[in-house]
Amino acid sequence: MNHYLDLFLTQFVAVMTPFLLPLLLLLALPLPLARSHDYHDALAKSIMFFEGQRSGKLPADQRAEWRGDSALLDGSEVGVDLTGGYYDAGDNVKFGFPMAFTTTMLSWSVIEFGDCMPADELRNAAAAIRWATDYLLKTVSHPGIVFVQVGNPISDHNCWERPEDMDTARTVYYVSADRPGSEVAGETAAALAAASMVFRQTDSAYSRKLLKNAMRVFEFADTHKGAYSDDPGLKAGVCPFYCDFDGYQDELLWGAAWLRRASRNDSFLNYIQNNGKTLGADDNINEFGWDNKHAGLNVLISKEFMEGQVLSLESYKEFADSFMCTLIPESFSSHIQYTPGGLIYKPGGSNMQHVTSISFLLLAYAKYLAKSSQTVNCGSIQVAPSSLQLQAKKQIDYVLGDNPMNMSYMVGYGDRYPQRVHHRGSSLPSISSHPRFIACKDGTDYYRSPNPNINPHVGAVVGGPSDDDVYEDDRADFRKSEPTTYINAPLVGALAYFVANPNAGLVLR
């Protein structure tokens, strides 16, 4: 009996060996390990980025030491103090519309996920917000006027010079009753209202000041309706850079929503209920960024429906669900475009702004859903909050290095990251190393140089790869290589979430 068994086993092994060997070899290979990310390090650097964007007189604790004081006479041509604030990207203009949106998103990041931040980074995030709000308060300090921009973008973009050396026109642009700008005024109201919540516990007087001014600016935006880029004089300065392409109506709803959340005043809830349709709340546009607030607006207002049981706001939850369904591959919705490597992609340049803002919305909405024990309704399927969190994690991990280029798109994070960032101050020698004046055109050689930037702009996230996942690291290709404040602002919140939840497990705060 044993003889026949041995014979059978010998023949079986002989026959099966050609099939078993590949399987055994495959099993012997080490499994690919999922890359683990230091989200705390990435968070710290994403906040530090804002110090490299500062305008005005820098504080003693400035960490981006390659920067110096700049634009100390801003506003003087019209007799006001408009020093401070942020340069929006790699140039030296202070554009009010994206700066206000940046402030709103930095504040929302802290409001939703500040509890996930280490104490030191929470303080740094609050400092980044205050650098913006101190400036925004200056822009609304004169009744009937909102200052919306400092710097002539045409002359500025014709130069490649450090902000510390600026000799281009610091033209001041403003909106008023005669030349309305409801989008920039509405966004400023949203920024001040959201920031008031950040400082409520740590500086109540400042918080009240922010909220009071937010209400006043919102009233101005709503009373004098109009788009600032419709005015010929303003259009020359704000277009094509931050022209109002999508109308001012969404900013009015956005401002009202933030004032409602910050104040709990029923008048703002009534405003949303009474004006939603006329201001385009039914325009279910799957966009969110400095010019189009629809997706973010739906997420923000849906919180009140889900947690506050305000039934009249149910449509906002439906619209938020609809947006989320475009991100779920299993749903039948028309989907947002992805690169072959899995990155959210929208044509037009500076694509990472969409990646970070949508990732933030995924996480914020997942939080609201989980707290109210709800899901996303995608027709035939119901999507759990955990699915949204995993979608966001894929995007953030791609930014940090899990991508076909095997590189981080955040300067200073990881072993491989962009070296030739489209940024004047970063690419030119610092004042301390080169105190001599560098005139407008004298920086051209640095712009054209194939060498890495002299001053690494730590934390800067570039515009990102093209739709084929390829990134060339070319300083001249600003659509891919330029960082912006509104790329980083929502990223701060997303990274804070993953500091506390590195595996995207749900933690309710």
Side-chain angles (χ1 to χ4, degrees):
M1 188 72 174
N2 289 340
H3 169 74
Y4 289 111
L5 179 59
D6 289 343
L7 182 61
F8 169 77
L9 289 174
T10 301
Q11 292 174 336
F12 177 81
V13 170
V15 172
M16 293 302 295
T17 293
F19 303 98
L20 289 173
L21 273 177
L23 178 60
L24 292 171
L25 290 172
L26 181 63
L27 291 173
L29 291 174
L31 293 173
L33 297 176
R35 185 179 310 193
S36 61
H37 288 289
D38 187 343
Y39 296 113
H40 185 173
D41 181 52
L43 171 66
K45 286 170 177 171
S46 72
I47 298 171
M48 186 173 174
F49 160 75
F50 290 94
E51 296 193 16
Q53 296 299 118
R54 283 172 170 170
S55 179
K57 178 72 175 176
L58 301 185
D61 60 356
Q62 169 80 9
R63 294 177 296 168
E65 296 179 352
W66 49 275
R67 284 298 323 281
D69 300 340
S70 63
L72 298 181
L73 296 177
D74 276 3
S76 60
E77 73 167 43
V78 294
V80 298
D81 175 14
L82 293 176
T83 57
Y86 291 113
Y87 304 116
D88 73 300
D91 53 21
N92 302 325
V93 181
K94 294 191 304 202
F95 292 99
F97 195 15
M99 193 193 308
F101 176 70
T102 292
T103 310
T104 307
M105 293 309 300
L106 269 175
S107 299
W108 199 2
S109 291
V110 170
I111 291 166
E112 295 299 348
F113 303 115
D115 287 346
C116 300
M117 294 183 184
D120 55 344
E121 295 313 328
L122 183 58
R123 287 191 296 270
N124 289 333
I129 294 167
R130 189 156 189 158
W131 192 267
T133 52
D134 282 352
Y135 172 78
L136 292 178
L137 286 172
K138 293 179 181 181
T139 69
V140 302
S141 61
H142 294 262
I145 290 177
V146 178
F147 296 101
V148 299
Q149 185 173 313
V150 182
N152 183 309
I154 304 302
S155 59
D156 179 90
H157 288 184
N158 282 330
C159 295
W160 194 261
E161 63 180 345
R162 304 176 294 200
E164 295 84 358
D165 287 334
M166 269 190 294
D167 53 1
T168 53
R170 301 301 288 170
T171 309
V172 175
Y173 301 84
Y174 65 89
V175 298
S176 62
D178 296 332
R179 51 194 319 186
S182 297
E183 67 285 272
V184 66
E187 185 62 67
T188 301
L192 296 175
S196 75
M197 298 178 67
V198 172
F199 296 102
R200 187 170 290 161
Q201 301 299 321
T202 58
D203 192 337
S204 58
Y206 189 65
S207 174
R208 289 192 297 272
K209 181 179 182 180
L210 292 171
L211 186 57
K212 179 181 177 181
N213 279 276
M215 291 180 177
R216 183 171 58 82
V217 178
F218 179 79
E219 182 179 3
F220 168 83
D222 187 48
T223 302
H224 308 291
K225 293 184 177 69
Y228 78 150
S229 53
D230 285 346
D231 180 272
L234 285 169
K235 186 174 184 178
V238 302
C239 293
F241 310 102
Y242 294 103
C243 210
D244 179 8
F245 298 101
D246 293 305
Y248 61 83
Q249 293 85 351
D250 53 329
E251 276 81 27
L252 290 177
L253 282 175
W254 179 244
W258 274 111
L259 281 161
R260 165 63 178 173
R261 184 161 178 182
S263 70
R264 306 312 301 165
N265 191 316
D266 284 343
S267 66
F268 296 109
L269 175 60
N270 294 334
Y271 183 94
I272 295 168
Q273 292 169 326
N274 296 334
N275 296 280
K277 289 188 180 296
T278 57
L279 292 176
D282 291 343
D283 299 340
N284 189 18
I285 302 170
N286 293 326
E287 289 281 349
F288 185 53
W290 59 264
D291 185 37
N292 195 316
K293 310 305 184 305
H294 280 88
L297 177 69
N298 291 329
V299 168
L300 180 64
I301 297 180
S302 67
K303 172 182 169 65
E304 184 134 11
F305 164 72
M306 289 189 281
E307 297 179 16
Q309 296 297 302
V310 182
L311 299 182
S312 62
L313 303 178
E314 183 175 8
S315 62
Y316 290 92
K317 202 269 183 185
E318 295 172 354
F319 291 149
D321 278 5
S322 177
F323 173 69
M324 296 299 160
C325 293
T326 68
L327 302 166
I328 306 299
E330 296 81 12
S331 77
F332 291 104
S333 302
S334 56
H335 293 122
I336 283 178
Q337 181 181 345
Y338 290 87
T339 67
L343 185 72
I344 290 170
Y345 188 82
K346 287 181 176 287
S350 192
N351 180 61
M352 286 301 186
Q353 66 178 305
H354 305 296
V355 175
T356 60
S357 62
I358 289 173
S359 295
F360 178 88
L361 290 185
L362 283 163
L363 295 171
Y365 199 53
K367 179 179 176 180
Y368 303 160
L369 291 167
K371 276 195 169 185
S372 56
S373 300
Q374 298 198 42
T375 59
V376 177
N377 180 9
C378 292
S380 60
I381 63 173
Q382 300 295 312
V383 180
S386 58
S387 293
L388 305 186
Q389 293 162 326
L390 288 172
Q391 290 280 56
K393 180 173 166 56
K394 290 176 183 177
Q395 296 303 307
I396 299 305
D397 286 352
Y398 185 111
V399 174
L400 297 181
D402 293 2
N403 56 63
M405 296 291 293
N406 288 312
M407 69 181 296
S408 159
Y409 287 103
M410 175 187 287
V411 174
Y413 179 84
D415 299 326
R416 185 166 180 252
Y417 48 80
Q419 302 288 326
R420 297 160 191 84
V421 178
H422 183 95
H423 191 279
R424 289 157 175 77
S426 173
S427 66
L428 292 159
S430 66
I431 289 287
S432 59
S433 66
H434 188 290
R436 295 190 307 279
F437 176 74
I438 300 177
C440 170
K441 297 297 184 181
D442 290 350
T444 303
D445 288 343
Y446 293 98
Y447 171 74
R448 293 174 177 169
S449 171
N451 297 326
N453 283 15
I454 297 172
N455 310 300
H457 195 347
V458 173
V461 177
V462 296
S466 52
D467 60 358
D468 58 1
D469 295 298
V470 174
Y471 183 79
E472 293 86 1
D473 199 13
D474 179 4
R475 188 180 296 115
D477 189 356
F478 66 90
R479 289 179 176 84
K480 294 181 181 179
S481 62
E482 187 171 22
T484 71
T485 57
Y486 45 88
I487 290 176
N488 272 57
L491 180 62
V492 168
L495 288 171
Y497 170 82
F498 289 117
V499 167
N501 307 280
N503 298 315
L506 186 66
V507 170
L508 296 179
R509 300 274 177 176

